[in-house]
Amino acid sequence: MGSVRALDVRLFDETVAAIALFAGSEHRLVYQNDACARLLGARPVGLPAREAFPEPDAEEFLTVLDEVVTTGRPRRLPETREPDPGAPEQARYFVYSCTPVTTAEGRGAMVVALDTTAETVALERYEAVVSAVSQMVWVLRADGSAEELVPGWQQLTGSPGHGRVDERWGAYIHPRDRARLRLEWDVALAQEPPSVFETTFRVRAADGSYRHVSTRCVPILRNDRADEWIAASDDVEDTWSATLRERLIAQIAQVSGGGLDEAFAAVVKAIVPELADACVIMLLDQEEWPLPEHAPVTARRAASSTRHGLPARPPLRHQTVVISDTVRDMLERQAPCTFHLPVGKGVPPGIVPTVTEHWLMSADATSVTLYPLVAEDIVLGYAVTSANGDAPAPDPADIELLQRIFRFAEPPIRKALDLQQARRTALRLQHAHLTSPPAVPGASLAACYEPASSANEIGGDWYDAVVYADGTLVLDIGDVAGHDLTAATVMGQLRSMLRGLAWNKGPECMPSTVLTMLENAAEGLDTASFTTAIHARLQRHVDGAWHMTWSNAGHPPPLLMPAQAEPYFLTGTDEDPPLCVDPTLPRTSHSHILAPGDTLLLYTDGLIETPAASLGEGQHRLLTAAAHQRGMPLSELLGSLQDNLSDNRDDTALIAFRADPPD
């Protein structure tokens, strides 16, 4: 067996690594290259290691030398070299290995050291930076593994991380965010070259609630590939809630000039799907508060909204429920309450209409929450929200946020209430004037008034009919400009003045004269308002025909439906302006003979005018409808025309006259 060849130390003279050789029982320093002298300082060759390295922190190093030579097994250790006291240098960091070797002086050890100061300092600075600006920082790898650099997952979720982004990790993500988050991440991985990935999603916290977390992932590129990503995440729940609240408030604040239904339609649209999977607004039909103890109280469905992906919601019409004691109690306490719905079980009775109960079951609702709706101590009704499918029931923070949203909706709701009250007052005033038409010997008469569907379209339309002692019939139709309580009030004044003037002047007074007197009276009594009107006088002949004389002040022309010909408009020869435009202009009267069986229709522009069609188009539609429906009884005719022609954006007044057909 040959002898072991001694190590030739000249091999290490020019190496980058710091190398030192020790030999003998005292571990004498037998070699040190220049790199070692620069790293550790020049040491006298030939001295025992304990004398060559007298520093107090060299004790562990000397112990390692003993162990390596004795056991014959190498060691690898990190090390720090502190500068001398008062020296300006920073501490030096290095990693060294100690390996048994045979030297010319006998058995010994070779120490190889590498300076890691720059890498160590850079890592310390990086960790300090990310700790200062982020809650959590970790490394994500393309294979799904993850490593936390700055911990925070366990503090947020109450569960330690397990080193992979997989199903166990995904179980902490809100069900509504999982698919989206996976899709966004897959898209980011597929991009070439990869770019920064940013998203916000909800994570289940240790208390069971969900909190919004914002994540920014930056790819680490190697040869234009991203094998690793540095991800930094912040809990942004407070910021997200504040931003959402401001956005929803801005949406709700845009509601103006509508009724309660329109206002609440904006509310449910704002909160779904951000705060609930579905929401329905139930408004009490009972205005008395507190609610009567034993009387049944009905609530109607006024607005609803559902998130995308759920079954189509049922229509709003005829959706009422007699509220239960549960709802009464919730309204009395003015505190929300949540009902968890076991699989296959419906909501408790008396909360929502039956059709809504069926919808909630078909949409796999797992919970419903009731919220009282109050505006300035007026209890209007309640909202019902649902969580559907795998969505969790709202936690206390969710409920509090939604309560705040409903409270922020109070100003537009209050405005809608005020408008609704004004509308009711106007309608009462309107109906007080629009009495049932009188019986007319030798003819039939019918009238109707249909208020606008929108609460801000109160209107000033009216009709009137008076029969003189001699059988003469006077018909009036009119429309005061404006859509508010003032218009309704002026309508009442003008209608009353017109009726009084016509009665006082008698059946022989020409309609143009009556309208001129009305205009002068309105100007003189300071009740003038831009108004269109028709004043018509009808007198029966012995043959059953009626002689009609009328004056038109800027109003849509009367429609005549002859018994034996196509309908047409009675336009007259001259067009007079509306009332209270220029009282100095003369007014004209027109005449026409209505044969037995002919039908006359006076109407306001709400019947024929729509935003999508011109006045001429509306008149053409009226002619077509009248041609098909003129044989109907008058009350049915008016209802059919109203249903088929008007879009209910404006109020509409109609009055129809039909001369009795010959015996």
Side-chain angles (χ1 to χ4, degrees):
M1 188 172 178
S3 60
V4 179
R5 186 174 180 181
L7 188 64
D8 186 354
V9 297
R10 291 175 300 176
L11 296 173
F12 308 124
D13 288 347
E14 302 300 327
T15 61
V16 176
I19 296 177
L21 293 174
F22 299 87
S25 59
E26 294 183 308
H27 309 306
R28 292 183 179 276
L29 177 64
V30 297
Y31 174 79
Q32 179 185 39
N33 69 359
D34 291 341
C36 183
R38 290 193 297 271
L39 179 62
L40 303 177
R43 308 295 169 133
V45 175
L47 290 179
R50 189 170 298 280
E51 296 179 22
F53 296 89
E55 297 90 344
D57 56 1
E59 191 62 37
E60 182 180 5
F61 169 64
L62 298 175
T63 302
V64 169
L65 281 176
D66 288 336
E67 179 184 336
V68 168
V69 172
T70 301
T71 64
R73 292 194 297 270
R75 289 283 306 276
R76 183 177 182 275
L77 294 171
E79 189 59 272
T80 305
R81 178 174 176 76
E82 299 292 339
D84 294 334
E89 298 88 357
Q90 68 173 26
R92 307 294 295 176
Y93 300 90
F94 56 92
V95 61
Y96 72 91
S97 63
C98 186
T99 307
V101 296
T102 300
T103 69
E105 288 78 10
R107 294 176 59 197
M110 179 175 66
V111 175
V112 180
L114 291 175
D115 190 340
T116 60
T117 301
E119 293 82 355
T120 302
V121 170
L123 182 59
E124 289 175 342
R125 290 172 178 169
Y126 170 75
E127 290 179 344
V129 168
V130 296
S131 297
V133 299
S134 301
Q135 180 187 7
M136 293 175 282
V137 178
W138 63 86
V139 176
L140 298 178
R141 300 182 181 87
D143 63 1
S145 62
E147 176 186 351
E148 280 193 287
L149 299 180
V150 179
W153 180 261
Q154 183 168 357
Q155 180 180 355
L156 174 62
T157 65
S159 175
H162 60 277
R164 294 199 65 81
V165 179
D166 54 15
E167 291 77 8
R168 287 179 292 174
W169 179 85
Y172 288 90
I173 308 304
H174 193 286
R176 293 287 172 267
D177 295 340
R178 289 172 192 161
R180 173 183 60 82
L181 185 59
R182 170 54 62 186
L183 177 61
E184 291 177 351
W185 179 241
D186 288 344
V187 170
L189 289 177
Q191 288 183 344
E192 294 183 4
S195 60
V196 175
F197 169 67
E198 295 182 88
T199 190
T200 299
F201 53 94
R202 288 165 286 184
V203 175
R204 189 175 70 240
D207 62 1
S209 66
Y210 282 89
R211 300 188 67 81
H212 283 78
V213 172
S214 176
T215 293
R216 178 182 173 88
C217 299
V218 180
I220 300 175
L221 300 180
R222 301 185 181 97
N223 298 323
D224 291 331
R225 292 185 55 191
D227 295 323
E228 292 184 336
W229 301 67
I230 297 296
S233 295
D234 278 329
D235 182 336
V236 295
E237 180 64 28
D238 293 341
T239 301
W240 180 89
S241 297
T243 302
L244 174 67
R245 186 167 59 249
E246 292 173 2
R247 179 165 58 82
L248 297 186
I249 293 170
Q251 285 182 241
I252 295 170
Q254 293 176 2
V255 179
S256 61
L260 278 180
D261 292 11
E262 295 173 78
F264 278 118
V267 172
V268 297
K269 185 178 179 181
I271 67 176
V272 174
E274 295 283 10
L275 299 176
D277 288 336
C279 180
V280 59
I281 301 295
M282 302 297 300
L283 295 185
L284 299 177
D285 291 332
Q286 173 76 36
E287 295 185 1
E288 179 183 352
W289 189 260
L291 295 176
E293 289 187 13
H294 304 294
V297 176
T298 302
R300 65 178 180 87
R301 195 163 67 121
S304 68
S305 182
T306 58
R307 67 167 173 81
H308 178 72
L310 293 178
R313 61 185 183 271
L316 287 176
R317 292 184 177 180
H318 310 300
Q319 297 295 310
T320 61
V321 64
V322 177
I323 65 171
S324 64
D325 291 339
T326 300
V327 176
R328 287 173 177 266
D329 180 64
M330 182 272 299
L331 293 176
E332 289 289 347
R333 293 184 294 106
Q334 294 190 17
C337 60
T338 297
F339 299 92
H340 297 274
L341 308 179
V343 177
K345 298 293 184 180
V347 299
I351 291 179
V352 291
T354 302
V355 68
T356 304
E357 290 184 18
H358 294 161
W359 181 90
L360 288 167
M361 291 191 67
S362 68
D364 192 21
T366 55
S367 70
V368 293
T369 303
L370 277 57
Y371 300 84
L373 299 176
V374 182
E376 295 184 8
D377 296 328
I378 300 175
V379 178
L380 304 176
Y382 55 99
V384 183
T385 64
S386 70
N388 298 68
D390 54 1
D395 57 45
D398 295 330
I399 293 174
E400 173 58 29
L401 176 57
L402 200 48
Q403 273 190 289
R404 290 202 300 270
I405 296 301
F406 285 127
R407 286 197 291 268
F408 287 133
E410 279 194 32
I413 298 303
R414 179 70 259 181
K415 183 176 181 180
L417 279 174
D418 292 341
L419 193 58
Q420 179 174 281
Q421 182 59 42
R423 176 183 172 83
R424 289 175 179 172
T425 301
L427 289 178
R428 283 196 294 267
L429 177 62
Q430 204 99 350
H431 287 296
H433 289 286
L434 303 181
T435 55
S436 298
V440 180
S444 300
L445 202 60
C448 70
Y449 172 78
E450 186 67 31
S453 58
S454 176
N456 62 340
E457 299 290 326
I458 297 172
D461 293 15
W462 88 88
Y463 64 80
D464 196 11
V466 175
V467 179
Y468 290 93
D470 65 354
T472 298
L473 171 65
V474 169
L475 297 180
D476 291 319
I477 194 83
D479 185 0
V480 176
H483 297 95
D484 53 20
L485 185 57
T486 300
T489 303
V490 172
M491 176 278 297
Q493 293 171 329
L494 291 179
R495 178 187 177 278
S496 297
M497 285 194 292
L498 179 57
R499 168 177 272 222
L501 289 169
W503 184 266
N504 185 58
K505 289 299 179 180
E508 298 305 319
C509 186
M510 294 298 290
S512 57
T513 302
V514 176
L515 287 185
T516 298
M517 289 188 296
L518 173 65
E519 188 169 34
N520 291 334
E523 292 285 347
L525 297 173
D526 198 24
T527 58
S529 181
F530 185 93
T531 302
T532 65
I534 291 177
H535 181 65
R537 182 186 68 191
L538 292 97
Q539 295 173 312
R540 189 173 186 234
H541 293 178
V542 293
D543 60 357
W546 289 75
H547 181 228
M548 174 184 173
T549 308
W550 79 96
S551 183
N552 188 337
H555 200 80
L559 175 68
L560 182 64
M561 291 173 267
Q564 303 299 327
E566 292 299 309
Y568 60 93
F569 293 106
L570 300 176
T571 56
T573 56
D574 298 301
E575 293 185 1
D576 293 346
L579 299 174
C580 305
V581 172
D582 186 353
T584 64
L585 294 176
R587 297 196 172 275
T588 55
S589 294
H590 315 281
S591 296
H592 190 82
I593 300 297
L594 276 64
D598 288 356
T599 301
L600 174 72
L601 176 69
L602 304 182
Y603 56 93
T604 56
D605 59 7
L607 181 68
I608 57 175
E609 279 192 318
T610 67
S614 66
L615 180 61
E617 291 172 322
Q619 288 180 319
H620 177 73
R621 291 171 58 235
L622 175 57
L623 285 173
T624 302
H628 289 89
Q629 301 166 19
R630 59 185 174 182
M632 292 181 174
L634 289 186
S635 59
E636 294 181 20
L637 172 66
L638 296 186
S640 179
L641 293 176
Q642 172 67 34
D643 291 341
N644 292 310
L645 298 179
S646 175
D647 64 358
N648 293 323
R649 291 175 180 267
D650 195 1
D651 56 342
T652 305
L654 304 172
I655 188 165
F657 167 90
R658 178 176 292 164
D660 285 347
D663 295 333

